[in-house]
Amino acid sequence: MTDFLGPPARVVRLTPRPALVLAVASLLGLAMFCWPLFAHPRPGAVAHATDAPFVFMATLPVLILVVLAELSRGGIDAKALALLGVLSAVNAGLRPLGAGTGGIELVFFLLVLAGRVFGPGFGFVLGSTSLFTSALLTAGVGPWLPFQMLASSLIGLGAGLLPRKPRGKGEIALLVGYGVFAAYFFGLLMSLWTWPFLAGDSAQLGFVAGAPLLDNLHRFALYTVLTSTLGWDTGRAVTNAVAIVLLGPAILAVLRRAARRAAFGAPVSFDQPYE
């Protein structure tokens, strides 16, 4: 039981300034996902590829600012960077096992557990690095990648912001609920940015530029339910729930034990050598 006790680790401790930058960039990122509801898209799916650099511009500076801000304050060290690399590599190795078949995605449950243990800043960074590394491994680099990175980062961020008090079975139930939410949240965001192009000119499902917001929301709801929610997203939600129930307690214990032994944020002192 000791592995479930004690204060949460804060591998990347967010002081007010980087926390504000992170919050603003997250809101801007969400606005970019919602652009079809407020803008007129250019025809052709290829046109949306030009939006990808803007997402990189919104995501990567946040990661750099968080890391540099914490480095300057001694909030992240070589141990934290090593942990980030290990977990990113593990997530990259897990993703091809399911390859998204029927919605089976193994990359998100570990992200939720790590964000829970190591905090929102670490969860945000791990979300981006995991998706980027796995995309390199699976040849999944494309205009969709920055959107996936940002959506995954928001999931890791949210996991770190969950209430800290539940432990034991209550904590697992909380994480299962969040894992299910995260699955549908990821699918919803990814459907939103592709909706105007993949739905085409369908009278019932397609995006109508200039139409009332509620009308477009209704069309999008039908589109995402038929193309994503009932299939891929539900499979992803089931995968997250089962993985967290079966593996969550053990992984949480391992991550918390690693956090205690690494003593993230502890002051470094050098003893005088013995003569």
Side-chain angles (χ1 to χ4, degrees):
M1 291 295 295
T2 56
D3 290 319
F4 289 91
L5 302 176
R10 284 294 183 266
V11 178
V12 179
R13 296 190 304 277
L14 295 177
T15 53
R17 182 177 298 177
L20 177 62
V21 173
L22 182 57
V24 171
S26 297
L27 291 175
L28 291 176
L30 286 174
M32 293 192 66
F33 278 108
C34 297
W35 73 268
L37 301 176
F38 307 103
H40 298 273
R42 289 170 289 179
V46 178
H48 194 70
T50 59
D51 293 334
F54 295 97
V55 180
F56 275 119
M57 291 173 61
T59 304
L60 296 184
V62 172
L63 303 181
I64 295 172
L65 285 172
V66 169
V67 173
L68 291 180
E70 295 307 318
L71 280 173
S72 65
R73 291 167 174 80
I76 186 170
D77 54 18
K79 294 177 292 185
L81 292 176
L83 177 64
L84 178 65
V86 169
L87 291 179
S88 297
V90 171
N91 255 343
L94 287 175
R95 196 177 186 190
L97 297 181
T101 303
I104 299 175
E105 288 276 8
L106 296 175
V107 70
F108 292 107
F109 88 94
L110 182 58
L111 173 61
V112 170
L113 297 176
R116 170 69 174 174
V117 173
F118 299 117
F122 186 87
F124 186 93
V125 178
L126 179 62
S128 282
T129 56
S130 294
L131 268 292
F132 182 76
T133 306
S134 64
L136 296 179
L137 185 63
T138 60
V141 178
W144 55 85
L145 176 58
F147 293 89
Q148 291 178 335
M149 290 171 60
L150 182 55
S152 182
S153 290
L154 293 176
I155 291 174
L157 174 68
L161 295 175
L162 291 174
R164 307 306 310 183
K165 194 169 184 178
R167 286 294 189 264
K169 293 182 179 179
E171 181 178 38
I172 296 300
L174 174 67
L175 293 177
V176 167
Y178 182 76
V180 171
F181 164 79
Y184 289 109
F185 177 75
F186 183 84
L188 182 71
L189 289 183
M190 295 308 298
S191 293
L192 187 55
W193 82 272
T194 59
W195 167 47
F197 310 111
L198 297 185
D201 298 326
S202 172
Q204 295 181 337
L205 304 180
F207 170 70
V208 178
L213 177 61
L214 291 180
D215 290 348
N216 273 329
L217 283 176
H218 176 69
R219 294 186 183 94
F220 171 70
L222 293 177
Y223 167 78
T224 190
V225 166
L226 294 176
T227 62
S228 181
T229 304
L230 294 179
W232 298 94
D233 299 345
T234 298
R236 190 182 296 117
V238 172
T239 302
N240 286 347
V242 172
I244 291 173
V245 168
L246 296 180
L247 303 176
I251 293 179
L252 286 173
V254 170
L255 293 179
R256 284 177 172 141
R257 187 178 299 115
R260 288 199 311 273
R261 293 187 176 181
F264 295 109
V268 179
S269 60
F270 298 93
D271 296 330
Q272 291 294 332
Y274 292 103
E275 296 295 342

